[in-house]
Amino acid sequence: MEQLSAGQKLDQAFEKLGEKNTLSVEFDLDTDVASLKALDDASNPAPGDEIPDEVAEMFSDAKITMTVHSKKPLEKSGEKDLVGMAMKVSTPGGDLVEYRLIDDYVYLRADMDAMGEAMGTPLPKADELPPEAGAFRDVIEGKWVKFNAKEMQQAADEGQEGEPAPAPSLDAKEQKKLMKALTKIVTREVEFKTADSGDGTEHITATAPFRTLMTELLGEIEPLLKDLPPGTPIPTAKDMKDAPNAKVTADFTLKNGELAQVDLDLAKLAENAKVKKLGLTLRMREGTKPTAPAGATTLDMDELMTGLLGGPMMGDAEFETSELAEEDVPLDQL
């Protein structure tokens, strides 16, 4: 009876999330530099491809916050109903990257100095760029820039031969069939336990063998992915044959019946790597409606390429008549 009641409580908690118009989810990787380096060593990277200490430190402290706002409850929303989205990557030292999609415009800003330092490839200063760089100066200085996402997509579609293929989707009947199959697998493979703190907060732990659960879930999903474009990187049930089958536990925190937090302990999946700390925490919040930042500079893509390459992009006709077209230039000299 406890299995069923715990599963029902989780279903109701997720349904309440779908009733909201705005939702924020924070992803917090609970790990340290030593654990990330141990994971990297276990993957046998080629000499020179090892993860730098600066990058490991950045990822160990980073948090990702995603917010979505819709005109309708999220469970009833289609793509056209989503009028605001935002994503932010932050560290204790400040925000690294922030992205917002408001109506047809994408807004971006980034701490290029911090990112360049972490990646070991410092970028030039804004005052070192040529006048033709234009709005790219604002990118380097970490200011807000924007571009019209709809116009960019139209330009990309015009560059394709024929009409773009419609995105594959599941009809309502297929969705219900899939959810029924996945629910059966979760009920069979996942062990639930509940604990009530008495102050309106309840913890539900779900434990399952990783490879077994993922193999069965992907086995049900795989037939529905046959219409995706060739080369789409979707894992299959066969890909799970070498995955660890250690039991993984997820701790769901419910407050007054609403899902507030999920804690995943992933250290056991590291197997032979000397990983002491590897977890992932998801925090759910009501969130605030993303808004367009004031003073964002419009970023023209031609202008951006001019700033990056120091000159206008060369069209096909220009390339055919250029000296480069007459010479066999090695790629490493371009």
Side-chain angles (χ1 to χ4, degrees):
M1 188 66 180
E2 185 181 27
Q3 289 250 57
L4 180 61
S5 62
Q8 287 178 330
K9 288 177 181 178
L10 281 180
D11 285 342
Q12 291 173 359
F14 278 104
E15 287 175 1
K16 287 185 177 182
L17 292 181
E19 294 170 0
K20 300 179 182 295
N21 288 64
T22 306
L23 178 67
S24 286
V25 181
E26 180 185 86
F27 299 82
D28 187 358
L29 186 61
D30 184 18
T31 187
D32 52 33
V33 174
S35 294
L36 290 178
K37 296 281 285 186
L39 281 174
D40 185 54
D41 291 341
S43 67
N44 297 318
D49 289 339
E50 300 88 352
I51 183 172
D53 291 345
E54 295 84 359
V55 175
E57 185 174 349
M58 181 177 68
F59 278 112
S60 66
D61 290 333
K63 295 181 181 179
I64 300 176
T65 305
M66 301 184 68
T67 303
V68 61
H69 174 74
S70 174
K71 294 182 290 186
K72 299 179 181 179
L74 294 173
E75 64 180 356
K76 299 179 181 178
S77 297
E79 185 177 349
K80 294 181 179 179
D81 300 312
L82 301 178
V83 292
M85 289 185 284
M87 186 275 290
K88 180 169 65 175
V89 180
S90 57
T91 67
D95 297 337
L96 288 178
V97 181
E98 190 167 0
Y99 158 99
R100 298 181 194 177
L101 175 60
I102 312 296
D103 296 325
D104 292 335
Y105 274 89
V106 169
Y107 297 82
L108 291 168
R109 72 171 174 180
D111 186 340
M112 303 301 285
D113 288 337
M115 293 180 65
E117 183 178 345
M119 298 300 178
T121 54
L123 292 172
K125 301 295 182 182
D127 56 9
E128 298 174 353
L129 296 174
E132 295 83 4
F136 190 60
R137 291 172 178 269
D138 289 343
V139 176
I140 295 295
E141 292 178 344
K143 297 179 180 178
W144 280 106
V145 295
K146 67 178 181 178
F147 61 87
N148 191 304
K150 192 173 182 179
E151 291 179 358
M152 181 173 289
Q153 184 60 52
Q154 289 175 345
D157 291 342
E158 290 173 0
Q160 298 175 350
E161 294 184 3
E163 292 294 326
S169 60
L170 301 178
D171 59 31
K173 185 177 180 180
E174 289 176 318
Q175 290 181 33
K176 290 182 179 179
K177 182 180 178 181
L178 175 61
M179 290 306 300
K180 186 175 180 180
L182 298 183
T183 300
K184 283 184 177 180
I185 293 172
V186 170
T187 302
R188 182 173 66 248
E189 301 295 345
V190 179
E191 177 186 351
F192 292 104
K193 291 183 180 180
T194 62
D196 195 337
S197 63
D199 61 352
T201 300
E202 185 173 15
H203 289 273
I204 298 177
T205 58
T207 304
F210 179 76
R211 183 176 66 239
T212 301
L213 181 61
M214 292 303 299
T215 299
E216 294 193 26
L217 292 176
L218 290 171
E220 289 292 337
I221 297 173
E222 192 174 345
L224 303 173
L225 304 178
K226 60 183 183 298
D227 294 328
L228 289 179
T232 303
I234 301 295
T236 66
K238 290 182 179 180
D239 295 330
M240 292 292 110
K241 62 183 177 63
D242 295 326
N245 207 33
K247 288 189 175 182
V248 176
T249 297
D251 186 337
F252 298 86
T253 301
L254 277 60
K255 291 186 177 180
N256 299 319
E258 292 194 8
L259 184 61
Q261 185 166 309
V262 183
D263 295 285
L264 295 168
D265 184 0
L266 306 174
K268 292 181 180 179
L269 297 182
E271 292 189 305
N272 298 326
K274 297 179 180 179
V275 173
K276 295 182 179 180
K277 188 178 182 182
L278 183 62
L280 178 65
T281 296
L282 284 71
R283 300 181 182 91
M284 288 70 174
R285 301 289 184 268
E286 183 75 29
T288 57
K289 177 182 176 181
T291 57
T297 303
T298 300
L299 189 64
D300 181 88
M301 299 314 293
D302 290 336
E303 187 178 70
L304 174 61
M305 295 309 297
T306 298
L308 285 173
L309 304 178
M313 294 185 65
M314 188 179 295
D316 292 341
E318 294 173 292
F319 179 80
E320 291 174 359
T321 58
S322 70
E323 294 181 0
L324 286 175
E326 299 173 0
E327 299 180 21
D328 187 11
V329 182
L331 290 176
D332 60 359
Q333 294 184 18
L334 290 176

Coordinates of all heavy atoms in Angstrom, one line a residue, residues 114-199:
A114 N 35.7 35.9 -17.2 CA 35.7 34.8 -16.3 C 35.7 33.5 -17.1 O 36.4 32.5 -16.8 CB 34.4 34.8 -15.4
M115 N 34.9 33.4 -18.2 CA 34.8 32.2 -19.0 C 36.1 32.0 -19.7 O 36.6 30.9 -19.8 CB 33.7 32.4 -20.0 CG 32.3 32.4 -19.3 SD 30.9 32.5 -20.5 CE 31.1 31.0 -21.4
G116 N 36.7 33.0 -20.3 CA 38.0 32.9 -21.0 C 39.1 32.4 -20.0 O 39.9 31.6 -20.4
E117 N 39.1 33.0 -18.8 CA 40.1 32.6 -17.8 C 39.9 31.1 -17.4 O 40.9 30.4 -17.3 CB 40.0 33.4 -16.6 CG 41.0 33.2 -15.5 CD 40.9 34.1 -14.3 OE1 40.2 35.1 -14.4 OE2 41.5 33.8 -13.3
A118 N 38.7 30.7 -17.2 CA 38.4 29.3 -16.9 C 38.8 28.3 -18.0 O 39.3 27.2 -17.8 CB 37.0 29.1 -16.5
M119 N 38.6 28.7 -19.2 CA 38.9 27.9 -20.4 C 40.3 28.0 -20.8 O 40.8 27.2 -21.7 CB 37.9 28.2 -21.6 CG 36.5 28.0 -21.3 SD 36.1 26.3 -20.9 CE 34.3 26.4 -20.5
G120 N 41.1 28.9 -20.2 CA 42.5 29.0 -20.6 C 42.7 29.8 -21.9 O 43.8 29.7 -22.5
T121 N 41.6 30.5 -22.4 CA 41.7 31.2 -23.7 C 41.2 32.6 -23.5 O 40.1 32.9 -23.9 CB 40.9 30.5 -24.8 OG1 39.6 30.3 -24.4 CG2 41.6 29.1 -25.1
P122 N 42.0 33.5 -22.9 CA 41.5 34.8 -22.7 C 41.1 35.5 -24.0 O 41.8 35.4 -25.0 CB 42.7 35.5 -22.0 CG 43.5 34.4 -21.4 CD 43.3 33.2 -22.4
L123 N 40.0 36.3 -23.9 CA 39.6 37.0 -25.1 C 40.2 38.4 -25.1 O 40.6 38.9 -24.1 CB 38.1 37.1 -25.1 CG 37.3 35.8 -25.3 CD1 35.8 36.0 -25.1 CD2 37.6 35.2 -26.7
P124 N 40.2 39.0 -26.3 CA 40.8 40.4 -26.4 C 39.9 41.4 -25.6 O 38.7 41.1 -25.5 CB 40.8 40.7 -27.9 CG 39.8 39.8 -28.5 CD 39.8 38.5 -27.6
K125 N 40.4 42.5 -25.2 CA 39.7 43.5 -24.5 C 38.8 44.3 -25.6 O 39.2 44.3 -26.8 CB 40.6 44.5 -23.8 CG 41.4 43.8 -22.7 CD 40.6 43.2 -21.6 CE 41.4 42.6 -20.5 NZ 40.6 42.0 -19.4
A126 N 37.8 44.9 -25.1 CA 36.9 45.6 -26.0 C 37.6 46.7 -26.8 O 37.4 47.0 -28.0 CB 35.7 46.2 -25.3
D127 N 38.5 47.4 -26.1 CA 39.2 48.5 -26.7 C 40.3 48.1 -27.7 O 40.9 48.9 -28.4 CB 39.9 49.5 -25.7 CG 40.8 48.7 -24.7 OD1 41.1 47.5 -25.0 OD2 41.2 49.3 -23.7
E128 N 40.5 46.7 -27.8 CA 41.5 46.2 -28.7 C 40.8 45.8 -30.0 O 41.5 45.4 -31.0 CB 42.2 45.0 -28.1 CG 43.0 45.3 -26.9 CD 43.6 44.0 -26.3 OE1 43.2 42.9 -26.7 OE2 44.4 44.2 -25.3
L129 N 39.5 45.8 -30.1 CA 38.8 45.4 -31.3 C 38.7 46.6 -32.3 O 38.7 47.7 -31.9 CB 37.3 45.0 -30.9 CG 37.2 43.8 -30.0 CD1 35.7 43.6 -29.6 CD2 37.7 42.6 -30.7
P130 N 38.6 46.2 -33.6 CA 38.5 47.2 -34.6 C 37.1 47.9 -34.6 O 36.2 47.4 -34.0 CB 38.7 46.5 -35.9 CG 38.2 45.1 -35.6 CD 38.6 44.9 -34.2
P131 N 37.0 49.1 -35.2 CA 35.7 49.8 -35.1 C 34.6 49.0 -35.8 O 33.4 49.1 -35.4 CB 36.0 51.1 -36.0 CG 37.5 51.3 -35.9 CD 38.1 49.9 -35.8
E132 N 35.0 48.1 -36.7 CA 33.9 47.3 -37.4 C 33.3 46.3 -36.5 O 32.2 45.7 -36.8 CB 34.5 46.5 -38.6 CG 35.0 47.4 -39.7 CD 36.5 48.0 -39.4 OE1 37.0 47.6 -38.4 OE2 37.0 48.8 -40.2
A133 N 33.8 46.1 -35.3 CA 33.3 45.1 -34.4 C 31.9 45.4 -33.9 O 31.1 44.6 -33.6 CB 34.2 44.9 -33.2
G134 N 31.6 46.7 -33.8 CA 30.3 47.2 -33.5 C 29.8 46.6 -32.2 O 30.4 46.7 -31.1
A135 N 28.6 46.0 -32.2 CA 28.0 45.5 -31.0 C 28.7 44.3 -30.3 O 28.5 44.0 -29.2 CB 26.5 45.0 -31.3
F136 N 29.7 43.8 -31.1 CA 30.5 42.7 -30.5 C 31.3 43.2 -29.3 O 31.7 42.5 -28.4 CB 31.4 42.1 -31.5 CG 32.1 40.9 -31.0 CD1 31.4 39.7 -30.7 CD2 33.5 40.8 -31.0 CE1 32.0 38.6 -30.2 CE2 34.2 39.7 -30.5 CZ 33.4 38.6 -30.2
R137 N 31.6 44.5 -29.3 CA 32.2 45.1 -28.1 C 31.4 44.9 -26.8 O 31.9 44.7 -25.8 CB 32.4 46.6 -28.3 CG 33.4 47.0 -29.4 CD 33.4 48.5 -29.7 NE 34.4 48.9 -30.7 CZ 35.6 49.3 -30.4 NH1 36.0 49.3 -29.1 NH2 36.5 49.6 -31.4
D138 N 30.1 45.1 -27.0 CA 29.2 44.9 -25.8 C 29.2 43.5 -25.3 O 29.1 43.2 -24.1 CB 27.7 45.3 -26.2 CG 27.6 46.8 -26.4 OD1 28.5 47.5 -25.9 OD2 26.6 47.2 -27.0
V139 N 29.4 42.5 -26.3 CA 29.5 41.1 -25.9 C 30.7 40.9 -25.0 O 30.6 40.3 -23.9 CB 29.5 40.2 -27.1 CG1 29.7 38.8 -26.7 CG2 28.3 40.3 -28.0
I140 N 31.8 41.4 -25.4 CA 33.1 41.3 -24.7 C 33.0 42.0 -23.3 O 33.5 41.5 -22.3 CB 34.3 41.9 -25.5 CG1 34.5 41.1 -26.8 CG2 35.5 41.9 -24.7 CD1 34.9 39.7 -26.6
E141 N 32.3 43.1 -23.3 CA 32.2 43.9 -22.0 C 31.1 43.3 -21.1 O 30.9 43.8 -20.0 CB 31.9 45.3 -22.3 CG 33.1 46.1 -23.0 CD 32.7 47.5 -23.3 OE1 31.5 47.8 -23.3 OE2 33.7 48.3 -23.6
G142 N 30.4 42.2 -21.5 CA 29.4 41.6 -20.6 C 28.1 42.4 -20.6 O 27.3 42.2 -19.6
K143 N 27.8 43.2 -21.6 CA 26.5 43.9 -21.6 C 25.5 43.1 -22.3 O 25.8 42.1 -23.0 CB 26.7 45.3 -22.3 CG 27.7 46.2 -21.6 CD 27.8 47.5 -22.4 CE 28.8 48.5 -21.8 NZ 29.0 49.7 -22.6
W144 N 24.2 43.5 -22.1 CA 23.1 42.8 -22.8 C 23.1 43.1 -24.3 O 23.3 44.2 -24.7 CB 21.8 43.2 -22.2 CG 21.4 42.6 -20.9 CD1 21.4 43.1 -19.6 CD2 21.0 41.2 -20.7 NE1 21.0 42.2 -18.7 CE2 20.7 41.1 -19.3 CE3 20.7 40.1 -21.5 CZ2 20.3 39.8 -18.8 CZ3 20.3 38.9 -21.0 CH2 20.0 38.8 -19.6
V145 N 22.9 42.0 -25.1 CA 22.7 42.2 -26.5 C 21.5 41.4 -26.9 O 21.1 40.5 -26.1 CB 24.0 41.7 -27.3 CG1 25.2 42.6 -27.1 CG2 24.3 40.2 -27.0
K146 N 20.9 41.7 -28.0 CA 19.7 41.0 -28.5 C 19.7 40.7 -30.0 O 20.4 41.4 -30.7 CB 18.5 41.7 -28.1 CG 18.3 43.1 -28.8 CD 17.0 43.8 -28.4 CE 16.8 45.1 -29.2 NZ 15.5 45.7 -28.8
F147 N 19.0 39.7 -30.4 CA 18.7 39.5 -31.8 C 17.4 38.9 -32.0 O 16.8 38.3 -31.1 CB 19.8 38.7 -32.5 CG 20.0 37.3 -31.9 CD1 19.2 36.2 -32.4 CD2 20.9 37.0 -30.9 CE1 19.3 35.0 -31.9 CE2 21.0 35.7 -30.3 CZ 20.3 34.7 -30.8
N148 N 16.8 39.0 -33.2 CA 15.5 38.5 -33.5 C 15.6 37.1 -33.9 O 16.1 36.7 -34.9 CB 14.9 39.3 -34.7 CG 13.4 39.0 -34.8 OD1 13.0 37.9 -35.0 ND2 12.6 40.1 -34.8
A149 N 15.1 36.2 -33.0 CA 15.2 34.7 -33.2 C 14.3 34.3 -34.4 O 14.7 33.4 -35.1 CB 14.8 34.0 -31.9
K150 N 13.2 34.9 -34.6 CA 12.3 34.5 -35.7 C 12.9 34.8 -37.0 O 12.9 34.0 -37.9 CB 11.0 35.3 -35.5 CG 9.9 34.8 -36.4 CD 8.6 35.5 -36.1 CE 7.4 34.9 -36.9 NZ 6.1 35.6 -36.6
E151 N 13.6 36.0 -37.2 CA 14.2 36.3 -38.4 C 15.4 35.4 -38.7 O 15.6 35.0 -39.8 CB 14.7 37.8 -38.4 CG 13.6 38.8 -38.4 CD 14.1 40.2 -38.3 OE1 15.3 40.4 -38.3 OE2 13.3 41.2 -38.4
M152 N 16.1 35.0 -37.7 CA 17.2 34.1 -37.8 C 16.8 32.7 -38.3 O 17.4 32.1 -39.2 CB 18.0 34.0 -36.5 CG 19.3 33.1 -36.6 SD 20.3 33.1 -35.2 CE 21.0 34.8 -35.3
Q153 N 15.7 32.3 -37.7 CA 15.1 31.0 -38.1 C 14.6 31.0 -39.5 O 14.8 30.0 -40.3 CB 14.0 30.6 -37.1 CG 13.4 29.2 -37.4 CD 14.5 28.1 -37.2 OE1 15.2 28.0 -36.2 NE2 14.6 27.2 -38.2
Q154 N 14.0 32.1 -39.9 CA 13.5 32.2 -41.3 C 14.6 32.2 -42.3 O 14.6 31.6 -43.3 CB 12.7 33.5 -41.4 CG 11.3 33.5 -40.7 CD 10.6 34.8 -40.8 OE1 11.2 35.9 -41.1 NE2 9.3 34.8 -40.5
A155 N 15.7 32.9 -41.9 CA 16.9 32.9 -42.8 C 17.5 31.5 -42.9 O 17.9 31.1 -44.0 CB 18.0 33.9 -42.3
A156 N 17.5 30.7 -41.8 CA 18.0 29.4 -41.8 C 17.1 28.5 -42.7 O 17.6 27.6 -43.4 CB 18.1 28.8 -40.4
D157 N 15.8 28.7 -42.6 CA 14.9 27.8 -43.4 C 15.0 28.1 -44.9 O 14.9 27.2 -45.7 CB 13.4 28.1 -42.9 CG 13.2 27.6 -41.5 OD1 13.9 26.7 -41.1 OD2 12.2 28.0 -40.9
E158 N 15.3 29.4 -45.2 CA 15.4 29.8 -46.6 C 16.7 29.2 -47.2 O 16.8 29.0 -48.4 CB 15.4 31.3 -46.7 CG 14.1 32.0 -46.4 CD 14.2 33.5 -46.4 OE1 15.3 34.0 -46.6 OE2 13.2 34.2 -46.2
G159 N 17.7 28.9 -46.4 CA 18.9 28.3 -46.8 C 18.8 26.8 -47.1 O 19.7 26.2 -47.6
Q160 N 17.7 26.2 -46.6 CA 17.5 24.8 -46.8 C 16.7 24.5 -48.1 O 15.9 25.3 -48.6 CB 16.7 24.2 -45.7 CG 17.4 24.3 -44.3 CD 16.6 23.8 -43.2 OE1 15.4 23.6 -43.4 NE2 17.2 23.7 -42.0
E161 N 17.0 23.4 -48.8 CA 16.3 23.0 -50.0 C 14.9 22.4 -49.6 O 14.9 21.6 -48.8 CB 17.1 22.0 -50.8 CG 18.4 22.5 -51.3 CD 19.1 21.5 -52.2 OE1 18.6 20.4 -52.4 OE2 20.2 21.8 -52.6
G162 N 13.9 22.9 -50.2 CA 12.6 22.4 -50.0 C 12.0 23.0 -48.7 O 12.6 23.8 -48.0
E163 N 10.8 22.5 -48.3 CA 10.2 22.9 -47.1 C 10.8 22.2 -45.9 O 11.1 21.0 -46.0 CB 8.7 22.6 -47.1 CG 7.9 23.4 -48.1 CD 7.9 24.9 -47.8 OE1 7.9 25.2 -46.6 OE2 8.0 25.7 -48.7
P164 N 11.0 22.8 -44.8 CA 11.6 22.2 -43.6 C 10.6 21.1 -43.1 O 9.4 21.3 -43.1 CB 11.7 23.3 -42.6 CG 10.8 24.4 -43.0 CD 10.8 24.3 -44.5
A165 N 11.2 19.9 -42.7 CA 10.4 18.8 -42.2 C 9.7 19.2 -40.9 O 10.3 19.8 -40.0 CB 11.2 17.6 -42.1
P166 N 8.4 18.8 -40.7 CA 7.8 19.1 -39.5 C 8.4 18.3 -38.3 O 8.8 17.2 -38.5 CB 6.3 18.7 -39.7 CG 6.4 17.7 -40.8 CD 7.6 18.1 -41.7
A167 N 8.4 18.9 -37.2 CA 9.0 18.2 -36.0 C 8.1 17.0 -35.6 O 6.9 17.1 -35.6 CB 9.1 19.1 -34.8
P168 N 8.7 15.8 -35.3 CA 7.9 14.7 -35.0 C 7.2 14.9 -33.6 O 7.7 15.6 -32.8 CB 8.9 13.6 -34.8 CG 10.2 14.3 -34.6 CD 10.1 15.5 -35.3
S169 N 6.0 14.4 -33.5 CA 5.3 14.6 -32.2 C 4.4 13.4 -32.0 O 4.1 12.6 -32.9 CB 4.4 15.9 -32.3 OG 3.5 15.8 -33.4
L170 N 3.9 13.3 -30.8 CA 3.1 12.2 -30.4 C 1.6 12.7 -30.2 O 1.4 13.8 -29.6 CB 3.5 11.6 -29.0 CG 4.9 11.0 -29.0 CD1 5.2 10.5 -27.5 CD2 5.1 9.9 -30.0
D171 N 0.7 12.0 -30.8 CA -0.7 12.4 -30.6 C -1.1 12.0 -29.2 O -0.4 11.3 -28.4 CB -1.6 11.8 -31.6 CG -1.6 10.3 -31.7 OD1 -1.4 9.7 -30.6 OD2 -1.8 9.7 -32.8
A172 N -2.3 12.4 -28.8 CA -2.8 12.2 -27.4 C -2.9 10.7 -27.1 O -2.5 10.2 -26.0 CB -4.1 12.8 -27.2
K173 N -3.3 9.9 -28.0 CA -3.4 8.4 -27.8 C -2.1 7.8 -27.6 O -1.9 7.0 -26.7 CB -4.1 7.8 -29.0 CG -4.4 6.3 -28.9 CD -5.1 5.8 -30.1 CE -5.4 4.3 -29.9 NZ -6.1 3.7 -31.1
E174 N -1.1 8.2 -28.3 CA 0.3 7.6 -28.2 C 0.9 8.1 -26.8 O 1.6 7.3 -26.2 CB 1.2 8.1 -29.3 CG 0.9 7.4 -30.6 CD 1.8 8.0 -31.8 OE1 2.0 9.2 -31.8 OE2 2.3 7.2 -32.6
Q175 N 0.6 9.3 -26.4 CA 1.1 9.8 -25.2 C 0.6 9.0 -24.0 O 1.3 8.7 -23.1 CB 0.7 11.3 -25.0 CG 1.5 12.3 -25.9 CD 1.1 13.7 -25.7 OE1 0.8 14.1 -24.6 NE2 1.1 14.5 -26.8
K176 N -0.7 8.7 -24.0 CA -1.3 8.0 -22.9 C -0.8 6.6 -22.9 O -0.5 6.0 -21.8 CB -2.9 7.9 -23.1 CG -3.6 9.3 -22.9 CD -5.1 9.1 -23.0 CE -5.8 10.5 -22.7 NZ -7.2 10.4 -22.9
K177 N -0.6 6.0 -24.1 CA 0.0 4.6 -24.1 C 1.4 4.6 -23.6 O 1.8 3.7 -22.8 CB 0.0 4.1 -25.6 CG 0.5 2.7 -25.8 CD 0.5 2.3 -27.3 CE 1.0 0.9 -27.5 NZ 1.0 0.6 -28.9
L178 N 2.2 5.6 -23.9 CA 3.6 5.7 -23.4 C 3.6 5.9 -21.9 O 4.3 5.2 -21.2 CB 4.3 6.8 -24.1 CG 5.7 7.1 -23.6 CD1 6.6 5.9 -23.8 CD2 6.3 8.3 -24.3
M179 N 2.8 6.8 -21.4 CA 2.7 7.0 -20.0 C 2.3 5.8 -19.2 O 2.8 5.5 -18.1 CB 1.8 8.2 -19.6 CG 2.4 9.6 -20.1 SD 4.0 9.9 -19.5 CE 3.8 9.8 -17.7
K180 N 1.4 5.0 -19.7 CA 0.9 3.8 -19.1 C 2.0 2.8 -19.0 O 2.2 2.2 -17.9 CB -0.3 3.2 -19.8 CG -0.9 2.1 -19.1 CD -2.2 1.6 -19.9 CE -2.8 0.4 -19.2 NZ -4.1 0.0 -20.0
A181 N 2.8 2.7 -20.1 CA 3.9 1.7 -20.1 C 5.0 2.1 -19.1 O 5.6 1.3 -18.4 CB 4.5 1.6 -21.5
L182 N 5.3 3.4 -19.1 CA 6.4 3.9 -18.2 C 6.0 3.8 -16.8 O 6.8 3.5 -15.9 CB 6.7 5.4 -18.5 CG 7.3 5.6 -19.9 CD1 7.7 7.1 -20.1 CD2 8.5 4.8 -20.2
T183 N 4.7 4.0 -16.5 CA 4.2 3.9 -15.1 C 4.3 2.5 -14.6 O 4.7 2.2 -13.5 CB 2.8 4.4 -15.0 OG1 2.7 5.7 -15.4 CG2 2.2 4.2 -13.6
K184 N 4.1 1.5 -15.5 CA 4.2 0.1 -15.1 C 5.6 -0.2 -14.8 O 5.9 -1.0 -13.8 CB 3.7 -0.8 -16.2 CG 2.2 -0.9 -16.4 CD 1.8 -1.9 -17.5 CE 0.3 -2.1 -17.6 NZ -0.1 -3.0 -18.6
I185 N 6.6 0.3 -15.6 CA 8.0 0.0 -15.3 C 8.4 0.6 -14.0 O 9.1 -0.1 -13.2 CB 8.9 0.6 -16.5 CG1 8.6 -0.2 -17.8 CG2 10.3 0.5 -16.1 CD1 9.2 0.4 -19.0
V186 N 8.0 1.8 -13.7 CA 8.4 2.5 -12.5 C 7.8 1.8 -11.3 O 8.5 1.6 -10.3 CB 8.0 4.0 -12.5 CG1 8.2 4.6 -11.1 CG2 8.8 4.8 -13.6
T187 N 6.6 1.4 -11.4 CA 5.9 0.7 -10.3 C 6.6 -0.7 -10.0 O 6.8 -1.1 -8.9 CB 4.5 0.4 -10.6 OG1 3.8 1.7 -10.9 CG2 3.8 -0.3 -9.5
R188 N 7.1 -1.3 -11.1 CA 7.7 -2.6 -10.9 C 9.2 -2.5 -10.4 O 9.6 -3.3 -9.6 CB 7.7 -3.4 -12.3 CG 8.3 -4.8 -12.2 CD 8.1 -5.5 -13.5 NE 8.8 -4.9 -14.6 CZ 8.2 -4.4 -15.7 NH1 6.9 -4.3 -15.7 NH2 9.0 -3.9 -16.7
E189 N 9.9 -1.5 -10.9 CA 11.4 -1.5 -10.6 C 11.8 -0.6 -9.5 O 12.8 -0.7 -8.9 CB 12.1 -1.1 -11.9 CG 11.9 -2.0 -13.1 CD 12.5 -3.4 -12.8 OE1 13.3 -3.6 -11.9 OE2 12.2 -4.3 -13.6
V190 N 10.9 0.4 -9.2 CA 11.3 1.4 -8.2 C 10.7 1.1 -6.8 O 9.5 0.8 -6.7 CB 10.9 2.8 -8.6 CG1 11.2 3.9 -7.6 CG2 11.5 3.2 -10.0
E191 N 11.6 1.2 -5.8 CA 11.1 1.0 -4.4 C 10.9 2.3 -3.8 O 11.8 3.2 -3.7 CB 12.2 0.2 -3.7 CG 11.9 0.0 -2.2 CD 13.0 -0.7 -1.4 OE1 14.0 -1.2 -2.1 OE2 12.9 -0.8 -0.2
F192 N 9.7 2.6 -3.2 CA 9.4 3.9 -2.6 C 9.3 3.7 -1.1 O 8.9 2.7 -0.6 CB 8.0 4.4 -3.1 CG 8.0 4.8 -4.5 CD1 7.4 4.0 -5.5 CD2 8.5 6.0 -4.9 CE1 7.3 4.3 -6.8 CE2 8.5 6.4 -6.3 CZ 7.9 5.5 -7.2
K193 N 9.8 4.8 -0.4 CA 9.6 4.9 1.0 C 9.2 6.3 1.4 O 9.6 7.3 0.7 CB 10.9 4.5 1.8 CG 11.3 3.0 1.7 CD 12.5 2.7 2.5 CE 12.9 1.3 2.4 NZ 14.1 1.0 3.2
T194 N 8.4 6.5 2.4 CA 8.0 7.8 2.8 C 8.3 8.1 4.2 O 8.4 7.2 5.0 CB 6.4 8.0 2.6 OG1 5.8 7.0 3.5 CG2 6.0 7.7 1.2
A195 N 8.5 9.4 4.5 CA 8.8 9.9 5.8 C 8.2 11.3 6.0 O 8.4 12.2 5.2 CB 10.3 9.9 6.1
D196 N 7.3 11.4 7.0 CA 6.6 12.7 7.2 C 7.3 13.4 8.4 O 7.4 12.8 9.5 CB 5.1 12.4 7.5 CG 4.3 13.7 7.4 OD1 4.9 14.8 7.6 OD2 3.1 13.5 7.2
S197 N 7.7 14.7 8.2 CA 8.3 15.4 9.3 C 7.3 16.1 10.2 O 7.7 16.6 11.3 CB 9.2 16.5 8.7 OG 8.4 17.4 7.9
G198 N 6.0 16.1 9.8 CA 5.0 16.6 10.7 C 4.7 18.1 10.5 O 3.8 18.7 11.1
D199 N 5.5 18.8 9.8 CA 5.4 20.3 9.6 C 4.9 20.6 8.2 O 5.1 21.7 7.7 CB 6.6 21.0 9.9 CG 7.8 20.6 9.0 OD1 7.6 19.7 8.2 OD2 8.9 21.3 9.0

